[in-house]
Amino acid sequence: MRLFVAALGTETNTFSPIPTGLGSFEEYLWFPAGSHPEEPRFFTGPIVAARRRAAAGGLTVIEGLAAFAAPAGLTTRHAWETLRDRLLDQLRSALPVEIVLLSLHGAMVADGYEDCEGDLLARVRALVGPRVVVGAELDLHCHLTETMVRSSDLLVLYKEYPHTDTYERAEELVDLALRAARREVQPAIGVFDCRMIATIHTTREPAKGFVARMKALEGKDGVLSVSLGHGFPWADVADLGAKVLVVTDGDPAGAAALAADFGHALRALRGRTAAPMLGHEDGIERALEMPGGPIVLADTSDNAGGGASSDATFLLRRLLERGVGNVALGPFWDPVAVGFCRFAGLGARVRLRLGGKVGPISGDPLDIEAEVLHLAEGARQLFGGGWTQLGDVAAIRIGGIEVLVNATRTQAFDPALFTDHGIRLDDKKLVVVKSAQHFHAGFAPIAKEVLWLDGPGALSQDFARLPYTRVRRPIWPLDPLPA
Ligand SMILES: [Zn+2]
């Protein structure tokens, strides 16, 4: 049996002004066909899962490219068409195959392509025909469009947010695809569109129990897989919204009915699926009143992981104005400031125009004087079993606030983001992380308390105020929940 596998994606925040070009993929995750390392990276689980399965014999794996760009604004038409066509050429050369597996995101938008993954899967299907098993692993922040579903035999989404289960889901996808190719099962997909935009944290109830119920049904009574697509709210696309996807063995009506059951259950939980969000002022106030520390404050609206600039100054400005000390904050993306710190050297005092550079969504720049505490080149942090780049970094002190400034835009994943660079956390009152939820896996264990803040920025949680024009209506909370 022959299996072709590749990985291609990004998460597109259509409100972000940061362009996504070929260089964005080369900078973030870039393995030409056949050059993927032994261990899976976050997002490349299917490649390694298929390879490990092939080691047991009876399966030949042909590996295509693996490319992923940090979440940002619209992908250029050139980048999308180049990578898509390269992947399709690799597949064409690999034919004949019985299985095609792709690791995709599901919320990638390019100039001229509102549904990149649908575009790719439809072309794959056209190339291989109806008998070949086509499957994909998707991020749960996907748009799960009709074209993606129609073109695939199998779609398996991550279940956890933070995405701690990407490799587990990849193994399930490989396993189901092999069974389908051997005609042991006949996958039938049912989808229910909840008509709602939501943030869903699976680390807490009620979403935690919802995920447990999904898992409990898998492998029983002909149910092969149950997935919840949370949707990615910061994309102005027609197919935005939360959806449930069920795969059964040869029972499309059963798949649709079970997807509808879960969908109605999710609708009943609307407004309660995420941690409560506090405004910046309330959040600072609440944290300072709490005994002990560190209190972790999530600056969710400036989360690079959702395409934000990570150079927004709103929260840092407020902390400086209030004279709050004993604070660690990061990662703060400002390559120019990192460069100045490197020129000035360790221990120097530098004048910086910090942040606010990307656009109005970043707020105004901060003109400050800082002490350079630490410098490093090519720094990185761990997430999901793999490394992600921070680029060159400078740890600086502004008054009582220690800031980790970095040159390669990314979110906070792991406390080592600070502690590797001389910023202690155990003695801090506040630790401000630029991240919406992925920080939780690494930071919750060291936090006295975690508070989620929402404010101005590219990832405002106030969905009703986002300037959507393409989203299909009605949809909650822009409209009353449709029947
Ligand atoms: Zn995601």
Side-chain angles (χ1 to χ4, degrees):
M1 190 169 286
R2 287 167 61 82
L3 180 155
F4 174 84
V5 62
L8 175 57
T10 185
E11 180 179 72
T12 304
N13 180 327
T14 64
F15 303 117
S16 169
I18 304 169
T20 302
L22 270 186
S24 317
F25 292 85
E26 287 165 359
E27 179 185 60
Y28 200 77
L29 185 144
W30 183 260
F31 297 113
S35 71
H36 192 283
E38 195 180 323
E39 291 299 315
R41 298 297 194 264
F42 177 71
F43 188 68
T44 62
I47 295 178
V48 175
R51 192 189 282 173
R52 287 180 185 166
R53 192 60 68 91
L59 177 68
T60 301
V61 173
I62 302 101
E63 297 178 16
L65 63 87
F68 193 85
L74 209 63
T75 300
T76 63
R77 179 185 283 264
H78 171 255
W80 171 242
E81 292 179 347
T82 302
L83 293 171
R84 176 198 68 192
D85 294 347
R86 194 173 296 173
L87 191 157
L88 290 170
D89 284 345
Q90 292 165 355
L91 170 59
R92 201 173 287 116
S93 317
L95 296 178
V97 297
E98 281 76 36
I99 302 170
V100 178
L101 294 184
L102 299 172
S103 179
L104 304 173
H105 185 285
M108 180 175 180
V109 185
D111 180 16
Y113 298 92
E114 192 169 292
D115 173 14
C116 289
E117 290 85 352
D119 177 48
L120 177 61
L121 286 164
R123 286 169 194 268
V124 166
R125 177 60 78 196
L127 191 60
V128 299
R131 295 278 298 167
V132 169
V133 176
V134 175
E137 182 179 26
L138 299 175
D139 189 303
L140 54 78
H141 295 112
C142 59
H143 300 309
L144 206 56
T145 67
E146 214 184 301
T147 314
M148 295 181 208
V149 174
R150 198 181 343 108
S151 310
S152 311
D153 298 288
L154 286 165
L155 293 172
V156 174
L157 278 55
Y158 313 154
K159 282 188 172 64
E160 303 292 346
Y161 183 37
H163 306 330
T164 49
D165 62 329
T166 60
Y167 188 72
E168 231 179 301
R169 300 286 89 80
E171 286 201 319
E172 285 172 11
L173 174 69
V174 172
D175 182 53
L176 287 172
L178 285 169
R179 289 166 66 195
R182 291 190 216 109
R183 311 300 169 202
E184 292 167 13
V185 292
Q186 209 184 345
I189 297 182
V191 176
F192 183 84
D193 185 340
C194 302
R195 302 309 304 147
M196 56 189 271
I197 307 173
T199 295
I200 302 168
H201 291 164
T202 62
T203 42
R204 55 167 55 226
E205 295 299 350
K208 196 174 180 178
F210 193 92
V211 170
R213 288 195 292 283
M214 285 160 56
K215 284 183 173 170
L217 289 185
E218 291 176 329
K220 292 179 198 124
D221 304 323
V223 177
L224 300 178
S225 179
V226 183
S227 291
L228 169 62
H230 299 195
F232 181 64
W234 301 277
D236 188 14
V237 297
D239 289 303
L240 176 63
K243 289 160 198 164
V244 180
L245 179 142
V246 173
V247 188
T248 60
D249 185 6
D251 180 11
L258 187 56
D261 282 353
F262 273 106
H264 286 294
L266 186 75
R267 283 159 61 98
L269 300 178
R270 70 189 177 282
R272 295 191 287 128
T273 54
M277 297 283 164
L278 301 168
H280 285 177
E281 208 57 43
D282 284 353
I284 296 170
E285 203 68 52
R286 182 90 64 93
L288 292 177
E289 282 165 6
M290 288 174 166
I295 313 295
V296 172
L297 301 178
D299 185 359
T300 67
S301 4
D302 196 28
N303 168 30
S309 56
S310 196
D311 82 332
T313 52
F314 304 106
L315 200 46
L316 177 56
R317 179 183 299 280
R318 231 11 237 140
L319 290 165
L320 289 168
E321 282 169 356
R322 290 185 55 146
V324 182
N326 206 13
V327 178
L329 183 148
F332 196 105
W333 183 52
D334 193 329
V336 175
V338 172
F340 281 17
C341 292
R342 291 170 62 82
F343 295 150
L346 212 55
R349 293 198 67 83
V350 282
R351 279 174 297 160
L352 299 173
R353 170 158 280 198
L354 189 66
K357 293 183 172 74
V358 167
I361 52 164
S362 300
D364 294 329
L366 277 164
D367 291 297
I368 47 102
E369 197 175 300
E371 182 190 346
V372 182
L373 304 176
H374 179 94
L375 293 166
E377 286 176 41
R380 46 190 203 161
Q381 58 179 334
L382 260 181
F383 180 64
W387 293 101
T388 60
Q389 304 300 320
L390 281 163
D392 296 347
V393 301
I396 60 172
R397 184 185 290 124
I398 316 164
I401 304 178
E402 291 169 32
V403 182
L404 193 283
V405 190
N406 64 317
T408 299
R409 196 175 53 89
T410 187
Q411 67 178 299
F413 288 119
D414 190 285
L417 159 73
F418 296 104
T419 54
D420 275 0
H421 304 291
I423 300 180
R424 278 180 67 175
L425 298 183
D426 55 347
D427 62 351
K428 293 292 183 295
K429 176 68 187 175
L430 307 183
V431 175
V432 180
V433 288
K434 288 184 179 285
S435 174
Q437 173 70 355
H438 282 320
F439 73 93
H440 195 271
F443 283 85
I446 62 127
K448 184 91 193 297
E449 199 75 51
V450 179
L451 299 176
W452 283 259
L453 311 192
D454 180 28
L459 269 80
S460 163
Q461 296 280 339
D462 191 355
F463 304 140
R465 292 184 61 181
L466 292 177
Y468 296 120
T469 59
R470 300 268 313 137
V471 175
R472 195 153 46 82
R473 310 289 287 266
I475 191 164
W476 183 86
L478 313 186
D479 309 297
L481 189 71

